[in-house]
């Protein structure tokens, strides 16, 4: 069974400071990893994904994430946080060679609060 | 841009009522999904559909059914709503084998 853990329910960071939102995963096989963002009263929006290749993935709105196979992590980062980054962030995993429907498993979400 | 729309943003229903949640996507995606989102539990898959008239149970199908008569439309049905079905419901679509799911804005359902 595959699983995703987001160990922090909430992350607070001052505007202009770097931010990190943590994600670890557990799968059998090679994972596809995703980050989605949800702004208040909105659906989820795709931010970035890791499929293969370079471990550092760049996405929308200046976000990036680093795939670390040995630590089974895929932390989301941004060098300088904006107040508008305040939202709920979800990490997700899919195993492409698992056969049948390739289920996507989502984490429980981390609320990012950027303080002016 | 892919657009996924849901028929209602907010819905209030009574216990025992039959509830229909509608989802429409405009990008000719074969795969469609219904999730519910609850605090501390993240997103949980209720049902998904590979294509028209095809459906598969997700992780929490009990108390729900679905209908996919047309490619662009995927309906979630609560046959007899209960208070524990109060939640945010999210619809998504995806190309077969595609990596990215495209989500609707969500329907916040309250069952009294």
């Amino acid at each position: 069974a595959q699983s995703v853990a987001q160990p922090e329910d909430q992350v607070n960071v001052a505007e202009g400071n770097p931010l990190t939102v943590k994600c670890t995963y557990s799968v059998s096989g090679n994972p596809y990893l995703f980050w989605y963002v949800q702004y208040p009263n909105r659906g989820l929006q795709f931010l970035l994904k890791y499929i293969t290749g370079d471990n550092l993935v760049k996405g929308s709105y200046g976000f990036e994430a680093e795939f670390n196979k040995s630590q089974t992590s895929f932390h989301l980062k941004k060098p300088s946080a904006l107040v508008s980054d305040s939202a709920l962030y979800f990490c997700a995993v899919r195993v492409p060679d698992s056969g049948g429907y390739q289920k996507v498993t989502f984490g429980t979400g981390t609320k990012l609060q950027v303080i002016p | 841009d892919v657009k996924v729309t849901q028929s209602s943003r907010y819905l209030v229903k009574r216990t025992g009522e039959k509830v229909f949640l509608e989802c429409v996507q405009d990008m000719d995606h074969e795969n469609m999904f219904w999730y519910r989102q609850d605090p501390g539990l993240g997103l949980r898959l209720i049902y998904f559909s590979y294509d028209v008239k095809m459906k598969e149970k997700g992780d929490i199908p009990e108390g729900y059914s679905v209908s996919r008569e047309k490619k662009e439309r995927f309906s979630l049905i609560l046959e007899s709503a209960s208070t524990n079905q109060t939640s945010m419901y999210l619809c998504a679509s995806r190309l077969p084998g595609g990596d990215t799911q495209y989500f609707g804005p969500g329907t916040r359902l309250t069952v009294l």
Side-chain angles (χ1 to χ4, degrees):
Chain A
Q2 60 193 45
S3 65
V4 175
Q6 293 182 243
E8 302 153 318
D9 290 336
Q10 181 158 336
V11 170
N12 297 321
V13 63
E15 187 177 23
N17 282 3
L19 68 87
T20 298
V21 182
K22 295 179 181 177
C23 171
T24 58
Y25 65 91
S26 175
V27 299
S28 299
N30 296 313
Y32 286 6
L33 292 154
F34 307 84
W35 277 101
Y36 287 84
V37 60
Q38 185 180 35
Y39 297 103
N41 299 314
R42 302 284 295 277
L44 275 68
Q45 296 178 34
F46 170 76
L47 266 184
L48 52 78
K49 64 184 177 185
Y50 171 81
I51 303 300
T52 187
D54 193 347
N55 289 343
L56 184 64
V57 179
K58 294 187 183 296
S60 306
Y61 312 121
F63 284 93
E64 58 188 29
E66 186 165 13
F67 172 62
N68 188 318
K69 189 171 184 177
S70 63
Q71 297 187 5
T72 63
S73 68
F74 189 57
H75 301 330
L76 182 70
K77 300 182 180 186
K78 187 173 182 181
S80 178
L82 300 172
V83 172
S84 57
D85 293 330
S86 298
L88 189 56
Y89 290 81
F90 288 94
C91 183
V93 67
R94 176 164 79 90
V95 180
D97 51 355
S98 57
Y101 166 66
Q102 294 165 4
K103 176 183 174 179
V104 176
T105 299
F106 287 85
T108 53
T110 299
K111 183 178 180 180
L112 174 66
Q113 191 76 37
V114 180
I115 302 160
Chain B
D1 278 352
V2 176
K3 191 164 185 182
V4 181
T5 57
Q6 295 183 230
S7 52
S8 305
R9 295 299 302 274
Y10 300 93
L11 210 52
V12 180
K13 295 293 182 180
R14 297 281 180 190
T15 301
E17 279 192 79
K18 190 170 186 175
V19 181
F20 293 86
L21 302 182
E22 305 285 341
C23 175
V24 177
Q25 50 92 5
D26 66 357
M27 282 302 290
D28 208 33
H29 287 172
E30 281 84 357
N31 299 166
M32 295 187 74
F33 309 84
W34 275 107
Y35 294 90
R36 64 176 283 176
Q37 180 184 2
D38 300 288
L41 297 176
L43 273 69
R44 293 180 292 168
L45 182 65
I46 305 171
Y47 267 96
F48 63 97
S49 171
Y50 285 112
D51 207 335
V52 176
K53 297 192 185 295
M54 298 178 72
K55 59 186 179 184
E56 294 287 340
K57 293 180 180 179
D59 298 320
I60 51 165
E62 297 78 17
Y64 303 95
S65 62
V66 290
S67 174
R68 184 108 181 260
E69 296 297 319
K70 293 185 177 181
K71 193 174 189 178
E72 67 270 19
R73 188 180 299 270
F74 191 34
S75 302
L76 180 69
I77 304 156
L78 287 66
E79 295 289 342
S80 178
S82 63
T83 54
N84 63 12
Q85 292 178 310
T86 291
S87 187
M88 170 71 91
Y89 290 87
L90 293 169
C91 175
S93 72
R94 188 187 71 183
L95 284 168
D99 300 318
T100 304
Q101 293 190 33
Y102 297 88
F103 285 84
T107 295
R108 187 167 293 281
L109 173 67
T110 302
V111 182
L112 302 176

